[in-house]
């Protein structure tokens, strides 16, 4: 089986609007309108119980790998304490995150940050950054992710009916 390709590179920022402007000017890339990755089932080192997570995000249209800009949020994996800059490499459409977590645990690679879906199925998870030279890997399941527009209204939908940051005619 071929190794998966990196889908996107996550960058943590203090001010999302400013970052979109600066990254657009520096790269010539087009960034999506702002959306939110919003869930009440996030678990990380800041709180081992499922809790609210409401990260503001924007993705480049150009890629892969795409650039994901994420604004500081909360007390854990996306907090200002993490500092601005490189946050993660991401692999999407992963078929079995629970198995991937178990496989990496055998290699002494832990996790810090995951989103639980229905029936406690893992929708997304981050490896522990200390286990991979200060870098996180984000694994995203094939399931629909809890994305809404910045104002809380429903997101665009892709050709599969899953939430998208781009209207179909621009995707």
């Amino acid at each position: 089986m071929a190794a998966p390709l990196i889908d996107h590179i996550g960058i943590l920022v203090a001010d999302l609007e400013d970052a979109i402007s600066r990254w657009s000017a520096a790269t010539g890339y087009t960034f999506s309108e702002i959306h939110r990755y919003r869930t009440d089932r996030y678990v990380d080192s800041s709180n081992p119980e499922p809790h609210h997570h409401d990260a503001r995000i924007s993705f480049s249209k150009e890629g892969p790998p795409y650039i994901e800009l994420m604004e500081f949020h909360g007390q854990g994996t996306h907090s200002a304490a993490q500092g601005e800059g490189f946050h993660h490499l991401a692999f999407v459409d992963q078929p079995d995150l629970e198995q991937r977590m178990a496989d990496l645990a055998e290699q002494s690679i832990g996790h810090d940050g995951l989103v639980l879906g229905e029936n406690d199925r893992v929708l997304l998870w981050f490896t522990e950054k200390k286990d991979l030279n200060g870098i996180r890997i984000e694994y995203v399941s094939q399931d629909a992710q809890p994305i809404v527009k910045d104002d809380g209204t429903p997101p665009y939908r892709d050709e599969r009916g899953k939430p998208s940051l781009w209207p179909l005619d621009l995707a």
Side-chain angles (χ1 to χ4, degrees):
M1 177 185 288
L5 297 177
I6 295 168
D7 179 77
H8 65 268
I9 299 164
I11 299 169
L12 201 54
V13 302
D15 181 301
L16 188 54
E17 287 84 355
D18 180 59
I20 290 169
S21 176
R22 294 178 61 78
W23 277 84
S24 293
T27 64
Y29 284 13
T30 302
F31 284 84
S32 69
E33 59 190 84
I34 296 170
H35 282 66
R36 292 174 178 265
Y37 192 97
R38 181 180 285 168
T39 179
D40 287 323
R41 311 243 9 242
Y42 192 75
V43 175
D44 68 0
S45 60
S46 74
N47 186 347
E49 295 299 318
H51 57 276
H52 188 68
H53 182 80
D54 193 9
R56 297 176 76 224
I57 61 174
S58 178
F59 273 78
S60 68
K61 182 169 179 48
E62 295 75 17
Y66 302 96
I67 296 173
E68 177 188 20
L69 300 173
M70 306 173 299
E71 193 168 68
F72 292 150
H73 169 72
Q75 301 300 312
T77 57
H78 293 74
S79 69
Q82 300 293 315
E84 285 192 299
F86 185 82
H87 187 264
H88 66 267
L89 298 174
F91 298 97
V92 303
D93 290 328
Q94 300 292 299
D96 189 345
L97 294 186
E98 289 85 355
Q99 184 59 55
R100 188 70 179 136
M101 289 173 75
D103 292 345
L104 290 178
E106 289 179 12
Q107 302 299 317
S108 298
I109 298 173
H111 59 87
D112 183 17
L114 60 85
V115 176
L116 297 170
E118 293 181 23
N119 301 319
D120 288 336
R121 183 174 162 86
V122 178
L123 297 179
L124 170 152
W125 71 280
F126 293 102
T127 60
E128 171 62 56
K129 74 181 203 175
K130 71 176 175 52
D131 294 341
L132 290 168
N133 309 99
I135 305 298
R136 290 178 184 88
I137 294 178
E138 176 188 44
Y139 292 95
V140 183
S141 76
Q142 296 172 332
D143 299 332
Q145 300 296 312
I147 296 171
V148 296
K149 289 185 179 180
D150 197 30
D151 65 4
T153 60
Y156 300 110
R157 297 286 172 176
D158 67 15
E159 62 282 346
R160 300 174 295 176
K162 291 184 178 182
S164 173
L165 278 66
W166 298 96
L168 268 178
D169 59 341
L170 294 178

